[in-house]
Amino acid sequence: MSREITVVTPENVPITYELAGLGSRASACILDLLIQLGSLAAVAAVFLGLTYALFDKNQQVMKVLGDFAVGILIITVFLVLNGYFIYFESARNGQTPGKKALGLRVIREEGSPVDLSSAAIRNIVRVIELTLGLHIASVLFILFSPKYKRLGDYAAGTIVVKERKPAVEDLATVRNEPAQSYAESALVRDVHLLSLDDLATLRRFVERRHELAPDVQESLASQIAAPIVAKLGITLPNANISHANLLEEIHNRSVDERGLI
């Protein structure tokens, strides 16, 4: 079974990803579980400390405090066990800490970033799987599905892929020249006119541009740049320029001037 899949992004750019298998996904899940257990242990320690500090011989007071604490604890456990995945996958570009450590990312099948609704669906199904004892079925789905999808992925329309590693020279650039400047910097102006959606699009592109082949990078960048260039009133010179570099310069200028990340 092939580990690669080609998806066409909303910008009509084909991108090939390597699908994440059971081993890497299980390893990421174990890391996330350890983080969750650590968080729950910290919460439990806080509750025990408060219980000890507020200890009262009045049994009625202790009963009220006990019932309140149990309710809060149940809500906290639910949020940590389920909200953890929903938050990180929707707000951190499809990556929980465990997935990030293993170089994995959740994306939608059409190649777009996972959103709140799809992250919620795939993780609510996770809870249902655990509640009904269907986690073994999910393991079998991952093993035998053409796209290595568990039940939650089928419900949410998502896949889990491996992130491409930048080339060695790109890693050297990141380490030695974190604020690399391109010639296209001279064209950038009026970044205050950009919306938060524009900035989010720029950030996603800059974070992932080196995962793409140079021709795909430039093709995607030219499509993203068209409305942004028009909004900023930038006139592109006749000479060849790199749209990818231009987008990175606009992103960097926005971070410098607006303090956004």
Side-chain angles (χ1 to χ4, degrees), residues 43-44 46-52 54 61-77:
V43 171
V46 170
F47 270 101
L48 287 174
L50 288 175
T51 300
Y52 179 79
L54 298 174
V61 172
M62 287 303 299
K63 184 179 184 306
V64 172
L65 289 175
D67 292 342
F68 178 75
V70 169
I72 294 296
L73 190 58
I74 290 173
I75 294 173
T76 302
V77 169

Side-chain angles (χ1 to χ4, degrees), residues 6-255:
T6 299
V7 299
V8 180
T9 70
E11 295 82 12
N12 293 318
V13 176
I15 301 178
T16 299
Y17 292 100
E18 181 183 357
L19 293 164
L22 179 61
S24 56
R25 291 180 66 167
S27 298
C29 188
I30 290 171
L31 286 176
D32 286 323
L33 180 60
L34 291 175
I35 293 172
Q36 289 176 305
L37 291 177
S39 300
L40 290 175
V43 171
V46 170
F47 270 101
L48 287 174
L50 288 175
T51 300
Y52 179 79
L54 298 174
F55 182 77
D56 195 308
K57 293 182 179 180
N58 187 316
Q59 295 301 311
Q60 187 62 32
V61 172
M62 287 303 299
K63 184 179 184 306
V64 172
L65 289 175
D67 292 342
F68 178 75
V70 169
I72 294 296
L73 190 58
I74 290 173
I75 294 173
T76 302
V77 169
F78 175 81
L79 290 177
V80 170
L81 293 182
N82 196 44
Y84 172 93
F85 289 98
I86 295 175
Y87 167 74
F88 279 107
E89 289 180 2
S90 61
R92 296 292 184 233
N93 205 14
Q95 290 185 303
T96 60
K99 287 184 176 68
K100 187 170 184 178
L102 271 293
L104 309 183
R105 182 186 303 277
V106 182
I107 62 172
R108 293 189 59 80
E109 281 191 279
E110 68 272 17
S112 60
V114 67
D115 55 16
L116 178 59
S117 61
S118 52
I121 290 171
R122 76 187 303 272
N123 287 294
I124 288 173
V125 172
R126 180 198 303 274
V127 174
I128 295 174
E129 290 171 351
L130 293 174
T131 302
L132 299 181
L134 297 177
H135 48 286
I136 300 300
S138 248
V139 169
L140 294 175
F141 266 92
I142 294 175
L143 287 174
F144 296 106
S145 163
K147 296 181 180 178
Y148 300 91
K149 298 172 65 169
R150 67 172 178 83
L151 292 174
D153 291 314
Y154 278 103
T158 57
I159 54 177
V160 181
V161 299
K162 291 185 177 181
E163 295 220 273
R164 285 197 183 97
K165 295 181 180 179
V168 174
E169 57 269 25
D170 292 332
L171 285 173
T173 297
V174 170
R175 289 172 183 153
N176 300 326
E177 300 180 40
Q180 180 176 359
S181 180
Y182 299 99
E184 288 77 10
S185 175
L187 300 173
V188 181
R189 65 184 189 188
D190 298 333
V191 293
H192 63 278
L193 297 175
L194 295 176
S195 67
L196 292 178
D197 287 340
D198 294 329
L199 296 171
T201 300
L202 287 170
R203 184 180 69 250
R204 285 197 298 269
F205 175 78
V206 169
E207 287 175 347
R208 304 186 61 189
R209 64 173 292 192
H210 294 297
E211 298 177 17
L212 309 175
D215 56 334
V216 176
Q217 231 185 90
E218 191 60 24
S219 176
L220 179 58
S222 64
Q223 296 179 56
I224 296 174
I228 290 177
V229 164
K231 182 176 288 189
L232 298 183
I234 296 174
T235 301
L236 299 180
N238 293 328
N240 289 331
I241 68 162
S242 167
H243 290 89
N245 290 348
L246 177 61
L247 290 182
E248 185 158 340
E249 288 297 337
I250 294 173
H251 169 267
N252 292 342
R253 186 76 61 82
S254 299
V255 171

